[in-house]
Amino acid sequence: MPELPEVETFRKYLDGTALDQKIVDVNLKPKSEKLARPSWAELKKKLLHQKLESSARIGKYLFIRLSDDGYLVVHFAMTGYFSYYKDAEDEPKYAKIILHFDNGFHLSYNSKRKFGWLDLAESIETFQKEKDLGQDALEIGFEDFYQGLKNKKSPLKPRLMDQNLVAGIGNWVADEMLYQAEIHPSSNCNKLSEEDFRHLYNTMQKILKTSVELDADYDRFPEHFLVNRREKGGTCYYTGEPLEVLEVGGRTSYVSKSRQKMFQ
DNA sequence: TCCTATGTTGTCAT
DNA sequence: AATGACAACATAGG
């Protein structure tokens, strides 16, 4: 579900389908008002008669440039995704907000739950500042990554998932990074050396790039990736041992105990 | 029936 | 100021 690689895949999907066509109507499904910000009336008014011109992404947030001015901002939360289709009968079951284009196609924002949302923003910079959103995990340099984490008095995993520090890492990417980098999620940030952080940073880049290249399609992920093993009965690719399931920072974490070193 | 879920946000406590 | 625990949001699926 939508973390950085998934949202980047949605962004590419949007770029390949829905850009440069005039929005002739916008529909809201019943009981979906909460997904529209700042309000359904304002969102609809802003989108009508405009085109989606281009897209950008910071972390799990997608920014879509509108032809007049400003941005449509989309957050997919846990179950959101886009569909671009022509026939009304192809409308997804969980469609919540639907943009209708003058070429007869439709772009729907779908979600099983009412968690994600569509919002408006004047500029990406304003939005990023208001939300205190950190640098995108694929953009941040090692030095900022290191400086942001090295002095934290906290278990590492919750800090990796803190969007104000580095944006885009959710539960599965955090587990994946820590697994491949051989670091226990409960390790204290301030006990890792610079080289440990460098290793973690390089691992993060590799995992994110690979995931994005594979369009976040887990079925195509390398066999050693943890994400497909994060389930009951899952075993470590490297050691064959059963993965431990524990809670770190309130989130379920899968750990290969003998592989991942605890820094404390 | 009960529990969990890969996200965010707000409150309250330390 | 930082950090953590917890609830709320909402719903499908095991």
Side-chain angles (χ1 to χ4, degrees):
Chain A
M1 281 167 208
E3 299 181 24
L4 188 154
E6 288 89 343
V7 177
E8 178 63 14
T9 303
F10 297 154
R11 193 191 67 75
K12 289 191 284 189
Y13 178 78
L14 178 89
D15 276 4
T17 57
L19 298 187
D20 304 321
Q21 302 149 51
K22 194 167 179 182
I23 299 169
V24 294
D25 199 5
V26 190
N27 279 139
L28 178 75
K29 288 294 175 179
K31 296 180 192 163
S32 302
E33 293 82 1
K34 281 191 175 173
L35 300 185
R37 300 181 183 182
S39 69
W40 168 240
E42 283 181 74
L43 184 69
K44 178 169 183 174
K45 186 179 169 203
K46 181 78 180 180
L47 293 177
L48 273 180
H49 314 308
Q50 296 222 46
K51 295 176 180 176
L52 309 180
E53 283 202 330
S54 61
S55 63
R57 182 192 54 72
I58 300 177
K60 306 169 194 173
Y61 295 82
L62 178 61
F63 299 86
I64 307 171
R65 174 74 197 180
L66 300 172
S67 45
D68 280 1
D69 68 288
Y71 291 82
L72 173 64
V73 189
V74 184
H75 195 288
F76 298 89
M78 292 208 276
T79 54
Y81 63 100
F82 283 143
S83 296
Y84 185 75
Y85 59 95
K86 183 160 193 181
D87 297 333
E89 64 188 29
D90 291 332
E91 179 186 301
K93 182 177 175 187
Y94 298 109
K96 293 288 185 287
I97 294 176
I98 306 173
L99 310 189
H100 304 275
F101 299 107
D102 65 354
N103 65 354
F105 279 77
H106 319 276
L107 178 73
S108 62
Y109 172 87
N110 324 299
S111 185
K112 254 196 284 201
R113 288 180 250 175
K114 293 175 186 156
F115 277 0
W117 42 259
L118 281 70
D119 199 354
L120 298 170
E122 293 286 314
S123 77
I124 295 176
E125 294 70 28
T126 313
F127 184 91
Q128 189 170 16
K129 198 167 282 183
E130 270 174 17
K131 294 267 182 187
D132 193 21
L133 190 59
Q135 293 181 70
D136 184 76
L138 271 174
E139 299 290 325
I140 193 170
F142 170 71
E143 204 51 37
D144 286 344
F145 179 79
Y146 176 51
Q147 295 301 330
L149 291 168
K150 69 170 186 175
N151 292 324
K152 298 291 179 191
K153 280 195 234 161
S154 155
L156 180 53
K157 183 174 171 183
R159 297 279 69 77
L160 291 174
M161 292 174 65
D162 180 350
Q163 305 300 301
N164 305 138
L165 224 51
V166 181
I169 301 170
N171 206 18
W172 83 253
V173 173
D175 271 8
E176 190 71 55
M177 288 169 63
L178 294 162
Y179 176 68
Q180 302 301 347
E182 302 179 57
I183 300 170
H184 194 285
S186 297
S187 295
N188 289 313
C189 294
N190 60 4
K191 298 297 182 191
L192 273 70
S193 70
E194 181 172 349
E195 284 317 300
D196 296 326
F197 275 114
R198 193 175 291 281
H199 181 50
L200 182 62
Y201 174 84
N202 291 338
T203 304
M204 170 174 80
Q205 297 300 323
K206 200 186 295 177
I207 287 166
L208 292 175
K209 280 173 190 160
T210 301
S211 306
V212 166
E213 271 167 23
L214 297 174
D215 295 330
D217 180 353
Y218 301 165
D219 292 342
R220 295 162 62 204
F221 280 11
E223 200 187 344
H224 66 274
F225 265 42
L226 177 70
V227 66
N228 290 321
R229 299 167 173 272
R230 294 176 81 265
E231 59 191 16
K232 237 182 193 164
T235 56
C236 175
Y237 171 79
Y238 302 97
T239 69
E241 292 169 298
L243 295 166
E244 273 207 357
V245 185
L246 46 115
E247 199 157 288
V248 182
R251 308 303 299 274
T252 303
S253 306
Y254 288 78
V255 178
S256 177
K257 201 166 186 192
S258 64
R259 173 179 172 79
Q260 295 174 252
K261 180 180 171 186
M262 174 77 89
F263 293 80
Q264 57 184 352

